[in-house]
Amino acid sequence: MADIIQLLPDHVANQIAAGEVVQRPASVVKELLENAIDAGANSIKLIVKDAGKTLVQVIDDGKGMSTTDARLSFERHATSKIRTADDLFLLNTKGFRGEALASIAAIAHVELKTKQEQDEVGTSIEIEGSNVVSQEMVVTPQGTSIAVKNLFFNIPARRNFLKSDTVELRHVIDEFHRVALAHPNISFSLYNNGSETFNLPVSNYRQRIVNIFGNKTNEKLVPVEEETEVLKISGFVGKPEFAKRTRGEQYFFVNNRFIKSAYLNHAISSAYEGLLKNGTHASYFLNLEVDPKTIDINIHPTKTEIKFDDEHTLYALLRSAVKHSLGQFNIAPVLDFDRDANLDTPYHISKDRVNVPKIEVDKGFNPFREEKKSFTSTMSYKKEPTAGWESLYQEIEVKNDNIESDFSDHKFESEVSTGTIFEEDKKIDNGNTTYQLHNKYIVSTIKSGMLVIDQFRAHQRILYEDFLQHITISKAVSQQLLFPLELHFTKQETDIISNLKEELESTGFIFSSILEETMQITGVPVGVPESEVSIILEQLISDIENEVPDSHFSTTDLLAKSMAKSLAIKPGQSILKEEQEHLVNKLFACKEPNVSPTNRTTFITMTVDELDKKFR
């Protein structure tokens, strides 16, 4: 039998590796930005077109590469970061495996220009699908410029899996945020389709957060500082009152590398225990510094997951540090029975010189001397003469001529006995055919048996069809607010709302102004509480950014689904009999009552025969 095992060609192996390293344009952005940081750059510029599908270019002023290094950098497992296997456990750089450029070059058109400081001219290399098209000397400034064009040009199946430009750009910006937050000592800029989206100068960590997420973020931050032999923690957490429904502003950095850790995230959540509303998540921007020997960062292709030697200790330290900061800055209530805050010395007089108080003693004071002063008022008290100290134990008679002892003329207020409008509820009303089960399901009787409705999904379906109709005919009713509602978002979030302004106004929203980071709303749809407006818009922005459920649905459809999900009756909410019956009637008046807007079952039926079988 002939041999059937053979070695794969390099270009095929590179495409396989690209499947792990490059999942979307944001993956290219991450690898190229990390390479620029490893090159010692002080200024990095990121240029994207069509959310990175057409172009991803990173320009830095780092140390650059020689002609040999530039050509060798596109080979598999070529790296300047490690020499031996032991170096894998002492990593202080971003990239180290040598697969990034080789994988990117296998599935795109790549143009590299680089020059070192001591060289007079630089090197230009063009590669298409792992094939070197040209290599020549060029005049270029110090540093490196890598342009990745037409991503997945030779793998159309992978290109078809990419989402819309809005979603892919959101992922690109997320990667840009992660790298920029980890390195406030480097200036970053981002250009999308020729327009400047971010321009982040060199700054401290707090200012970098504010520059990215808006000026309003500054008042939301609480500093966290803790240093032990095992772990050094620095950064900021958000105040509980500014917690969001989404997890967008949650960042962990371990040795300046962004990571995801559900275990450490739980430590933050437990520190906020009792301070957050249900369904909300606190923001945090925390830097953790640990010994490189105690972590393994090569357990995931994207290097966003890290294995710690002692996770339990890190969990305890992180939870304590966050809890201490919340208490220190009076964010969380403190119970301390051994200390009275009223007895604390004010700060402005804590260093003043203490004056010794003067004590004056009345040497002629006699507590047994009879007082001749009498207290006169409408209540007159007559003091009987006393012969001495024995009179202190005698009964004192208090007489008051102004107080009448007869209270017969006085009238006391009493509760008026009124009938209750719910008296009929005491009787069993056989006309009621709906019952709420565990504040989650509505049970109703039908001719064939029993109907069980999921109140959340059913209400979603009702609201979804209502919003679709309002947006289509543009005749939604709006309720005016007494005072304009001002909301604060990031620049990217306000851009999303601006693009949806016409559709939102069709549902009943009225915007008086939409600026770069703020917007004013003077009208909301009927039935929408003012307190829910920010939650609705946050959920809408999150759905648009993540394109729920996928790119095949129109913006109008997505808007109706997002608003229906935000305003629907939540599980655990009790509703009245009349509301239950109204919800049932409205559900079966819908065009598609069987499923929710996300294609989930809204109700089930159980016949009498099926119930009979349960008792056999």
Side-chain angles (χ1 to χ4, degrees):
M1 185 176 180
D3 298 333
I4 60 175
I5 297 178
Q6 59 183 355
L7 292 175
L8 289 174
D10 285 343
H11 68 280
V12 177
N14 285 337
Q15 287 189 3
I16 294 173
E20 295 182 350
V21 178
V22 184
Q23 301 171 356
R24 55 189 352 135
S27 304
V28 177
V29 171
K30 174 181 182 295
E31 298 293 345
L32 297 185
L33 289 178
E34 289 181 348
N35 285 344
I37 293 171
D38 287 340
N42 295 314
S43 176
I44 300 175
K45 180 187 295 185
L46 171 62
I47 302 172
V48 295
K49 289 184 179 180
D50 300 328
K53 299 175 183 177
T54 303
L55 171 68
V56 174
Q57 184 176 8
V58 173
I59 304 172
D60 67 70
D61 59 353
K63 57 187 177 184
M65 291 182 286
S66 64
T67 303
T68 304
D69 287 344
R71 179 64 186 84
L72 197 58
S73 64
F74 290 98
E75 297 297 327
R76 293 189 67 204
H77 305 303
T79 178
S80 62
K81 315 296 171 54
I82 58 175
R83 291 289 183 268
T84 64
D86 293 337
D87 294 339
L88 288 171
F89 302 98
L90 296 171
L91 289 171
N92 291 306
T93 57
K94 304 290 185 181
F96 56 88
R97 293 182 302 184
E99 290 180 312
L101 291 182
S103 300
I104 294 170
I107 54 173
H109 297 161
V110 180
E111 180 179 348
L112 168 69
K113 292 181 180 180
T114 183
K115 185 180 85 72
Q116 293 180 321
E117 183 180 8
Q118 66 272 16
D119 297 335
E120 295 183 358
V121 293
T123 305
S124 174
I125 299 177
E126 293 185 12
I127 299 179
E128 296 180 1
S130 296
N131 298 318
V132 179
V133 177
S134 67
Q135 178 175 341
E136 57 187 6
M137 310 299 288
V138 294
V139 177
T140 183
Q142 178 189 341
T144 302
S145 170
I146 301 182
V148 179
K149 305 174 183 177
N150 306 321
L151 194 64
F152 299 126
F153 80 99
N154 54 354
I155 313 179
R158 288 293 300 274
R159 191 175 181 89
N160 291 336
F161 275 99
L162 296 178
K163 301 289 185 180
S164 66
D165 287 356
T166 303
V167 177
E168 295 300 336
L169 181 61
R170 177 71 261 172
H171 287 287
V172 169
I173 292 177
D174 282 345
E175 292 294 348
F176 180 80
H177 286 173
R178 292 166 182 175
V179 176
L181 283 171
H183 301 276
N185 58 325
I186 301 175
S187 64
F188 290 88
S189 58
L190 170 60
Y191 295 84
N192 176 41
N193 293 334
S195 62
E196 184 181 79
T197 305
F198 286 99
N199 188 356
L200 308 176
V202 176
S203 61
N204 57 33
Y205 192 47
R206 188 183 193 114
Q207 192 60 43
R208 175 57 57 90
I209 296 172
V210 172
N211 289 337
I212 291 177
F213 296 102
N215 295 327
K216 193 69 176 178
T217 312
N218 191 37
E219 66 183 65
K220 305 177 183 179
L221 301 179
V222 177
V224 179
E225 294 286 342
E226 192 68 43
E227 185 171 0
T228 65
E229 295 179 355
V230 179
L231 173 69
K232 180 180 179 182
I233 304 172
S234 62
F236 300 90
V237 294
K239 295 180 181 178
E241 59 265 30
F242 296 106
K244 293 187 175 183
R245 298 254 173 194
T246 57
R247 297 180 179 270
E249 298 177 3
Q250 294 185 340
Y251 295 89
F252 274 125
F253 301 97
V254 175
N255 295 352
N256 293 330
R257 181 191 299 275
F258 172 79
I259 68 158
K260 297 177 181 178
S261 175
Y263 187 67
L264 296 183
N265 180 74
H266 188 271
I268 303 294
S269 301
S270 61
Y272 278 90
E273 187 176 2
L275 300 176
L276 298 178
K277 297 179 182 178
N278 291 334
T280 60
H281 309 279
S283 304
Y284 55 80
F285 312 87
L286 296 175
N287 297 300
L288 313 179
E289 293 184 23
V290 299
D291 188 348
K293 295 180 181 179
T294 62
I295 58 175
D296 184 3
I297 58 179
N298 199 27
I299 63 172
H300 193 273
T302 60
K303 295 170 287 187
T304 55
E305 295 182 10
I306 289 181
K307 179 65 177 175
F308 297 94
D309 280 353
D310 190 359
E311 285 187 330
H312 298 289
T313 301
L314 298 184
Y315 182 99
L317 291 174
L318 185 60
R319 179 178 180 273
S320 299
V322 173
K323 206 157 190 171
H324 174 70
S325 292
L326 293 175
Q328 183 180 10
F329 291 92
N330 296 325
I331 306 300
V334 179
L335 290 177
D336 190 349
F337 298 104
D338 297 330
R339 169 182 164 272
D340 186 356
N342 296 323
L343 300 179
D344 290 348
T345 304
Y347 180 77
H348 64 280
I349 63 171
S350 60
K351 297 181 180 181
D352 291 353
R353 186 174 180 179
V354 179
N355 296 323
V356 179
K358 297 179 180 180
I359 302 175
E360 296 181 358
V361 179
D362 185 5
K363 297 181 180 180
F365 175 72
N366 185 357
F368 302 106
R369 180 186 303 164
E370 295 181 7
E371 295 183 4
K372 297 182 179 180
K373 296 180 181 180
S374 61
F375 177 72
T376 60
S377 66
T378 56
M379 303 282 289
S380 60
Y381 297 90
K382 294 183 180 180
K383 189 178 181 70
E384 296 291 340
T386 56
W389 62 268
E390 296 88 356
S391 63
L392 293 174
Y393 299 95
Q394 294 178 359
E395 181 179 358
I396 301 176
E397 295 180 1
V398 181
K399 298 180 181 180
N400 190 349
D401 297 335
N402 296 329
I403 299 178
E404 298 181 1
S405 60
D406 186 7
F407 295 96
S408 59
D409 295 335
H410 290 266
K411 294 183 179 180
F412 296 93
E413 184 179 357
S414 62
E415 293 184 2
V416 180
S417 177
T418 58
T420 173
I421 61 175
F422 300 106
E423 287 179 352
E424 55 271 32
D425 290 347
K426 298 178 182 178
K427 302 178 182 179
I428 298 175
D429 187 2
N430 296 325
N432 291 334
T433 57
T434 60
Y435 306 92
Q436 192 177 24
L437 181 63
H438 294 298
N439 290 341
K440 186 176 182 182
Y441 300 104
I442 296 174
V443 182
S444 180
T445 57
I446 54 177
K447 289 183 179 180
S448 60
M450 182 174 62
L451 181 73
V452 182
I453 301 173
D454 187 309
Q455 67 184 34
F456 178 57
R457 296 180 185 177
H459 201 205
Q460 277 191 74
R461 164 54 62 178
I462 297 168
L463 294 175
Y464 168 69
E465 294 195 3
D466 286 344
F467 284 131
L468 271 185
Q469 184 179 8
H470 292 158
I471 296 173
T472 303
I473 65 176
S474 299
K475 290 184 179 180
V477 180
S478 177
Q479 59 183 11
Q480 298 295 314
L481 299 177
L482 186 60
F483 301 101
L485 181 63
E486 184 172 297
L487 301 177
H488 299 270
F489 294 99
T490 64
K491 183 180 178 182
Q492 292 71 40
E493 292 171 342
T494 52
D495 289 342
I496 292 175
I497 298 298
S498 298
N499 296 332
L500 295 174
K501 181 181 178 182
E502 185 176 347
E503 289 85 354
L504 285 169
E505 288 178 341
S506 299
T507 64
F509 283 99
I510 299 177
F511 297 90
S512 60
S513 66
I514 299 180
L515 303 178
E516 187 170 320
E517 293 182 0
T518 61
M519 64 182 69
Q520 281 194 344
I521 299 176
T522 56
V524 296
V526 174
V528 176
E530 185 176 338
S531 58
E532 294 286 327
V533 174
S534 61
I535 298 174
I536 293 171
L537 295 181
E538 284 178 12
Q539 184 65 55
L540 174 62
I541 292 169
S542 176
D543 290 344
I544 293 292
E545 290 175 345
N546 298 299
E547 200 155 70
V548 179
D550 56 44
S551 59
H552 301 294
F553 288 83
S554 65
T555 304
T556 301
D557 187 82
L558 183 58
L559 172 61
K561 286 179 180 176
S562 180
M563 291 185 62
K565 181 170 61 176
S566 299
L567 294 174
I569 299 171
K570 302 298 186 293
Q573 184 175 343
S574 177
I575 56 179
L576 301 175
K577 292 278 187 183
E578 294 78 5
E579 295 173 329
Q580 298 170 22
E581 295 175 359
H582 180 71
L583 189 144
V584 173
N585 295 332
K586 288 282 289 183
L587 174 64
F588 289 101
C590 293
K591 295 180 180 179
E592 294 288 342
N594 297 325
V595 293
S596 70
T598 53
N599 291 324
R600 295 187 176 184
T601 304
T602 56
F603 66 88
I604 60 171
T605 58
M606 182 172 289
T607 64
V608 176
D609 293 338
E610 291 174 339
L611 287 172
D612 291 340
K613 292 178 182 179
K614 300 290 184 181
F615 292 95
R616 290 179 182 174

